[in-house]
Amino acid sequence: LDVPSEGGSAVEQTPRIEVYPVTAGDAEGLAGVLQSVFNTSADLKVTAHPDGRALIVYATPRDHDRFKAVLAQIKSEGLRVEVIPLRVL
């Protein structure tokens, strides 16, 4: 009977590259922030795509899942901009 080991198979833990679109904000700045958030993972590398509209992430499948959750949270909170007209005194 095949039973997966506690740590998962080597294939499940093999790092891979995925590209995540950046729909708002600066990919370079976001890459730096996310790299520092995930600095405990030796297998994770976050780089901004040269066009500035995507993040290139090298990570294990488990770290990709965590990365996707953080990106979803960032997107859901979004950036709110409000214009307040000022009066001239």
Side-chain angles (χ1 to χ4, degrees):
L1 182 63
D2 286 336
V3 178
S5 63
E6 195 171 295
S9 73
V11 173
E12 292 173 356
Q13 298 307 317
T14 302
R16 66 177 191 264
I17 294 174
E18 287 194 30
V19 178
Y20 297 91
V22 175
T23 55
D26 173 42
E28 188 75 33
L30 189 57
V33 168
L34 291 170
Q35 183 69 50
S36 67
V37 167
F38 289 97
N39 69 353
T40 58
S41 179
D43 288 329
L44 189 128
K45 175 77 172 137
V46 182
T47 306
H49 190 279
D51 73 6
R53 296 184 301 219
L55 296 173
I56 302 168
V57 180
Y58 175 79
T60 63
R62 180 174 178 237
D63 283 339
H64 275 292
D65 290 342
R66 291 175 45 219
F67 193 84
K68 289 174 190 174
V70 170
L71 277 180
Q73 186 175 2
I74 289 171
K75 285 181 183 179
S76 70
E77 291 177 7
L79 177 64
R80 183 175 168 208
V81 177
E82 186 175 341
V83 177
I84 302 170
L86 302 175
R87 291 185 292 146
V88 177
L89 298 177

